[in-house]
Amino acid sequence: MDEFFGIDIGGTSVKWAVLGEDFSIRERGSIPTDFSTAEEAVSTLMEIVEPYADRVRAIGVSAPGGIYEGDPDGVIHRGGALTYMDGCPVGRLLRERFDMPVAVDNDGKCCALGEYAAGALRGASTGVVLAIGTGIGGGIVVDGRVLRGANGFAGEFSFIRNDAQAPVSMGNIFGGTGSWRTLVALMLSEKGMEDDGTVDGRRAFEWVAAGDEAARRGLDRYALMFDNMLLNLQAVLDPDVFAIAGGISCHPELMEALERQMEVALSGFAGPLAGFPRPNVVAAQLGNDANLYGAVQGAMRLAQS
């Protein structure tokens, strides 16, 4: 059975794995994303791949930033939080070093492709992944292929406006109001506490699990806002399923709140607005491995072409 090498370049760590063509993980590891230049990052990636170069058929890379479809050099544009990667031809450098196909793709799009290949989007004609983090990442898969758009910007959910009349700011785009930090801020507001930056998502859900009613009110406020944004996406994309990913998506209380508040979000669609389809919202299944699965799926396609 053929094997493939997947790399997920994240803001805090670089995860890697050797996967079989059935998406089984054979070996895996991670290192801190402790680089200051693109040259240093690429050199480290080469060191990671080197011991496995003779056994894998292709390499797939998930990275933050923009990557244009069909770019044989796999150039990273902007680089997200890793601004030093802007303009780096990761695909070409790895291909020249190891003489094998290299697929490079945006991390949100890899997440969506991974969930389609082996997770919550399997079997969906149109599926959407929304990854809750410091912003809202994710991607859209239609008939097995990720939707990219004219500028490779399709699925950049963070930039959706909440208020079309107000100036653009983090306070009125989905990336700001949908982040885990906003959820924490809403809970702290309901509890009458100052946000001193010490409360993370894990602590917030500990409050909810312990029956803290103020924390639950904050969660419900967040879930209603999130559901309203899902309704906007439902009106545009009408997907079979929305899969919610990201660190806080592992908490069942979040999914329960999204289900609970969807009734409120849909309640206004009555009379001449009746008939709006209820979004199908589920938890993503692959956790932190989704990007690796998606990167390897891209590598498999290149190897077979």
Side-chain angles (χ1 to χ4, degrees):
M1 182 180 293
D2 290 331
E3 293 182 320
F4 302 85
F5 201 92
I7 301 172
D8 177 20
I9 306 173
T12 58
S13 67
V14 175
K15 295 183 284 293
W16 61 267
V18 177
L19 284 81
E21 58 189 358
D22 61 351
F23 293 102
S24 59
I25 294 180
R26 311 296 176 76
E27 296 188 44
R28 67 188 308 156
S30 67
I31 61 170
T33 309
D34 190 18
F35 316 124
S36 55
T37 67
E39 292 76 13
E40 184 181 355
V42 172
S43 176
T44 302
L45 297 183
M46 290 179 178
E47 291 175 4
I48 293 172
V49 175
E50 181 66 40
Y52 305 93
D54 291 337
R55 60 184 275 194
V56 299
R57 283 194 61 194
I59 301 167
V61 180
S62 165
I67 296 96
Y68 295 122
E69 185 175 18
D71 177 7
D73 291 338
V75 177
I76 295 175
H77 300 272
R78 301 183 303 278
L82 309 180
T83 54
Y84 53 79
M85 296 298 289
D86 182 31
C88 180
V90 173
R92 175 168 58 81
L93 295 173
L94 291 177
R95 183 178 67 249
E96 291 175 350
R97 173 65 181 81
F98 296 108
D99 191 27
M100 69 177 71
V102 179
V104 183
D105 209 344
N106 166 264
D107 49 5
K109 292 176 175 57
C110 280
C111 180
L113 283 171
E115 288 290 340
Y116 179 83
L121 302 190
R122 277 178 298 184
S125 175
T126 302
V128 178
V129 171
L130 296 101
I132 302 171
T134 54
I136 303 293
I140 305 158
V141 178
V142 180
D143 295 332
R145 301 195 67 86
V146 69
L147 183 66
R148 299 180 184 278
N151 302 290
F153 214 69
E156 294 289 346
F157 303 121
S158 278
F159 295 85
I160 297 176
R161 300 282 296 277
N162 297 328
D163 185 346
Q165 295 183 333
V168 175
S169 70
M170 286 302 293
N172 68 13
I173 63 172
F174 195 16
T177 59
S179 73
W180 70 264
R181 296 184 188 279
T182 294
L183 169 60
V184 169
L186 290 171
M187 289 189 183
L188 290 172
S189 174
E190 290 291 338
K191 290 170 68 65
M193 297 171 59
E194 292 292 326
D195 188 353
D196 61 4
T198 62
V199 178
D200 59 12
R202 180 178 301 177
R203 177 62 177 145
F205 278 98
E206 286 176 355
W207 288 335
V208 176
D212 187 318
E213 287 299 321
R216 176 175 163 133
R217 289 196 300 272
L219 175 59
D220 280 347
R221 287 173 59 189
Y222 173 86
L224 179 57
M225 177 283 305
F226 203 98
D227 280 343
N228 279 319
M229 296 306 288
L230 291 182
L231 294 184
N232 287 339
L233 292 172
Q234 185 77 37
V236 176
L237 299 169
D238 196 24
D240 302 83
V241 60
F242 290 102
I244 309 301
I248 66 173
S249 68
C250 66
H251 297 281
E253 295 87 356
L254 172 65
M255 302 308 299
E256 291 165 4
L258 292 173
E259 176 69 17
R260 187 166 58 245
Q261 293 302 311
M262 188 61 76
E263 295 295 337
V264 180
L266 286 168
S267 63
F269 290 94
L273 300 178
F276 195 99
R278 184 187 182 93
N280 176 25
V281 186
V282 303
Q285 295 178 2
L286 301 180
N288 291 331
D289 289 336
N291 292 7
L292 287 171
Y293 281 90
V296 165
Q297 188 181 45
M300 288 179 182
R301 285 177 173 168
L302 269 188
Q304 294 164 0
S305 62

